[in-house]
Amino acid sequence: MTALFLSDLHIDETVPHVRAGLERVLSEAADVVDDIYILGDLVEVWVGDDDDAVSARELRSALKAASEHSRVHVMHGNRDFLLGERFAEETGVTLLPDPTCVEIGERRVLLAHGDAYCTGDLEYQAMRRMFRSPDWQRSVLARPLAERRQLAQGLRAQSVAAGANKAEGIMDVTAEAVTEAMAEHNAGLLVHGHTHRPAIHELGDGKRRIVLGDWGRCGWTLHLGEDPSDDRLLCFGLS
């Protein structure tokens, strides 16, 4: 069994090269990779499954094509928490809860977007709880599409301003949260995104944490097989 992981593409109309890079990755994975996992922030913002923006339509088409060859799984991030069942039906993907455990050979792998483990940022965690609240989401989705787009722009600007005033360390995961999550799920490997700090961290006792990169200066993918020595975290050019 082989699996491909990616996250934090932040696709919108301003980055057509990122969407093209995703399409290339998905095409190359067809009939080669058993499972494709997208661990949050696939798009810069998702205002609802009725989004008719060009980038949203093209994204649906790319995922639909990929799901005809591989099993495609999508996890909500802090940008695309409004992805819903209609999106899953139209694209053929499976929506994953955050976190989720999967078995790759004899490996038990914990998958997460990663923001839940940034426990040092109390302000962010409060916002995260609000965004993940079913009542809040229903309230937002009841608004007209144009109003939701304006709301999304305001929230993005607020997020940028808040992040600019925070110390770098506070926006990273905490060791305590990682240790607790891996122990709770009896996982030897944690794979997540969100922090935009791609790396493979050896945690001792054969345990490992792999952080996916954001698609900015390059695209990032992680290939996992049954043997940990075959793990490959790759950066490739986007054109």
Side-chain angles (χ1 to χ4, degrees), residues 6-9 192-193 196-199 211-215 219-220 233:
L6 51 152
S7 72
D8 299 282
L9 286 80
H192 70 84
H196 300 187
R197 302 179 183 191
V211 187
L212 301 166
D214 63 304
W215 290 38
W220 288 91
L233 182 61

Side-chain angles (χ1 to χ4, degrees), residues 5-235:
F5 299 83
L6 51 152
S7 72
D8 299 282
L9 286 80
H10 297 276
I11 291 173
D12 63 13
E13 281 83 357
T14 67
V15 288
H17 61 292
V18 173
R19 180 186 51 77
L22 172 64
E23 292 181 355
R24 185 169 72 251
V25 166
L26 294 177
S27 176
E28 292 172 352
D31 300 321
V32 176
V33 174
D34 298 308
D35 291 274
I36 299 170
Y37 295 93
I38 303 173
L39 301 185
D41 288 1
L42 171 60
V43 294
E44 177 65 9
V45 65
W46 190 258
V47 295
D49 291 351
D50 57 343
D51 191 352
D52 57 2
V54 173
S55 62
R57 295 199 304 269
E58 292 174 338
L59 178 61
R60 290 187 189 95
S61 296
L63 292 173
K64 179 62 176 177
S67 67
E68 294 174 354
H69 299 277
S70 301
R71 294 183 294 266
V72 183
H73 316 266
V74 176
M75 181 177 287
H76 296 105
N78 55 295
R79 301 283 185 172
D80 47 17
F81 47 82
L82 291 179
L83 288 171
E85 291 303 324
R86 175 178 166 182
F87 172 82
E89 292 173 2
E90 291 177 344
T91 59
V93 309
T94 299
L95 294 178
L96 294 179
D98 180 5
T100 290
C101 266
V102 299
E103 304 286 342
I104 300 179
E106 297 183 355
R107 310 174 72 183
R108 185 167 174 81
V109 184
L110 177 62
L111 308 179
H113 179 55
D115 57 338
Y117 306 139
C118 299
T119 54
D121 191 342
L122 300 181
E123 180 184 8
Y124 175 83
Q125 292 301 323
M127 292 292 292
R128 183 182 188 275
R129 287 191 293 273
M130 182 183 74
F131 292 152
R132 301 294 180 115
S133 163
D135 289 340
W136 185 88
Q137 292 185 5
R138 280 193 293 268
S139 174
V140 170
L141 291 173
R143 302 182 186 186
L145 182 58
E147 187 176 332
R148 278 178 268 147
R149 285 180 172 142
Q150 290 181 337
L151 174 63
Q153 290 177 351
L155 289 174
R156 278 193 291 180
Q158 181 181 339
S159 175
V160 170
N165 296 320
K166 292 178 181 176
E168 280 293 311
I170 203 172
M171 294 185 287
D172 201 357
V173 302
T174 63
E176 295 81 5
V178 167
T179 299
E180 290 176 5
M182 295 182 71
E184 177 184 354
H185 296 277
N186 192 29
L189 171 62
L190 167 63
V191 178
H192 70 84
H194 179 67
T195 63
H196 300 187
R197 302 179 183 191
I200 298 178
H201 300 274
E202 302 294 345
L203 305 179
D205 297 325
K207 295 183 178 181
R208 176 179 285 183
R209 176 170 70 96
I210 302 181
V211 187
L212 301 166
D214 63 304
W215 290 38
R217 64 181 181 85
C218 64
W220 288 91
T221 58
L222 169 67
H223 296 257
L224 292 185
E226 297 186 10
D227 189 337
S229 65
D230 294 331
D231 294 352
R232 290 179 292 148
L233 182 61
L234 303 176
C235 174

